[in-house]
Amino acid sequence: MKKKRMRLLAIFLTTCMLILIGRLVYIQLVSTESFSKHDINLLEASVDQRSQILKIDDGRGKFYDRNGEPLAHEEIPTLVLFPFLKKMTWPIDEIASIIGRSESELKRAIEQADEPFVFGGDEPIELTASQSKAINQLKIPGVFAVNEKLYHNQTPAAQLIGTTNISDAEKKKRYPDMNLSPETKIGNTGLQRTFDEFLLSSGESKLVFHVDASGGPMFGVDVKYVEPANPLYPVKVVTTIDKEIQEKAEKLVDERGIKKGGIVLIDIKKSEIVAMVSRPALNVKDPNGAGAVNMMLTQKTPGSVFKTVTAAAAIDHKAASPSRTFNCNLTIDGRTDKQRELGMLNFESSFAQSCNRTFAELSQEIAEKDPDFLESYAKKLGLIGETGWQGDVYHTRVTQLYHEQTGKVWHDADLKKDPKMIAKTAIGQQDVQTTPLAIANMMATIARGGKKEQVKAVSKVEFNNSTTVVDFKNQDMGGETISPYTAMKMQQLLRKVVTEDKGTGASLRDLPVEVAGKSGTAQTNMEKGELNKWFAGYFPYKNPQYALVAVNFETKENSTSMTPLFSDIVKVLYSKDQD
């Protein structure tokens, strides 16, 4: 009986040993790179356990402004220290002397550290080129001067640049043939999304130091700089944004109290977005909240800015002779306008003072001959369809702007037969919808003499060695456009909005540059008394360089007009051009 129990115990112990040995074989030899349901790479985990690592760059491509300035990050030469220095004797006095800090500061920082760190914490010291060189020439293990990439909580043009995420499900859906690590970021919105295939990481850059069980440096092992196998990455996406102008524009929009709206500034000759501000601002803690929507790419009711379309049609149809006048004491349906009696006005003054009655009459007359004229001229001026750059790049379709809405004139084609609906549509009400970007590009089109071009947000993509991957050339939008003659007449009308004493843009007359433009006030919610307030135009008038839209959505009647904000931006550009 006793021998039997001993035999059973021996069998049990042997079985347990075999199970343990089998488990170790499975762990050590079979599942080294995908252990457990979490697919843990045991080899990497083993190395990590005996390594101290400082990630310098996650390897994802970066965004730069048109002058080469980093947008979403900052590259700062900084001092990196490893915690094993506390167990070593090293020339701390020399480092302190080079960076101009006390030895006690350095000692205290190292004593408190459990992992490699940038000296200075949230406010790292910024080394000069000579300081960096002096530090690295000392070749002290665990002491390095490196270019650290620091990411900002608030990115200029945040909605345009966009956000990233690390969703495994989305990675598999978008890149089923790629084995992306759990830490790899992919684009979620904005340019981060539309340029994601260019931006994907090909490996991170990091400093790695192997340590022993006590955390000290292993004998004979030096710190290694590990970088992506392909030296051409990460890529640089060179945007058309001017960082200095963008930051000033964001400040001005906030100072003017714009809660929902913003500005779009276009370089007319290059057809590029120089600045784009969208409010509400993006909240990094809630990247999919209300602030994630780029309001400058979202269609809204334009109000009287749309009279630009009706005016262009009236010019081509010869519907408004210089001698003809309109009773601007009346509303669009012929009743007395008690709120805004403007008297008898000709076509030019009607445009300058934004008389609804004139454009109601003209649109009804033109519609009898051409029922589709409003939609036709909206297309000619680029208010319908996508405004942003798109085209084939290496057999792949690239659309630069993320979720740009396309605009519309009619919701129901039958409404074209109703004179009342025609009148409302002609003044930018009823079903008319368009984006601030499209309005800005309409102004650029008129300023260019009728030449209609796609708008770029990115000028080129470069490899890490600054060679060009792709260069985005100017592209026509396609389709019909207005004639040079019509564009010239529209330029004169837009200028008169500012020069006429009672023009809706008269407050812009005293600016240091000549401005042309059009105001707009659209009723969006009668019950709440909400309005969209616009001012769109271009400048300088005689040598156009910039097209600009300033807009405040869902605001109240007593809120300020958009001309002060428009004026603010013009002054910023004028001041910059004088430097």
Side-chain angles (χ1 to χ4, degrees), residues 263-266 440 535-539 546-550 566 569-570:
I263 68 100
V264 180
L265 179 68
I266 293 176
F535 197 90
Y538 67 90
F539 56 95
Y546 301 103
L548 172 63
V549 166
F566 191 98
I569 305 295
V570 172

Side-chain angles (χ1 to χ4, degrees), residues 38-49:
H38 300 293
D39 290 330
I40 298 171
N41 189 316
L42 295 174
L43 295 177
E44 291 181 358
S46 173
V47 172
D48 290 345
Q49 190 176 33

Side-chain angles (χ1 to χ4, degrees), residues 411-477:
H411 177 68
D412 185 346
D414 288 340
L415 295 179
K416 299 177 188 178
K417 303 172 186 177
D418 187 336
K420 289 184 179 180
M421 295 301 102
I422 293 169
K424 287 183 178 181
T425 303
I427 63 170
Q429 292 283 168
Q430 194 55 34
D431 300 327
V432 180
Q433 297 280 286
T434 189
T435 68
L437 177 65
I439 293 286
N441 199 39
M442 175 179 72
M443 292 297 168
T445 297
I446 293 170
R448 282 192 293 257
K451 187 173 175 56
K452 187 172 58 172
E453 294 185 343
Q454 295 179 353
V455 180
K456 292 175 288 184
V458 172
S459 61
K460 61 183 175 178
V461 178
E462 296 180 340
F463 284 125
N464 198 37
N465 63 1
S466 296
T467 59
T468 299
V469 182
V470 57
D471 195 2
F472 296 98
K473 304 293 185 183
N474 282 20
Q475 289 190 164
D476 291 341
M477 289 184 70

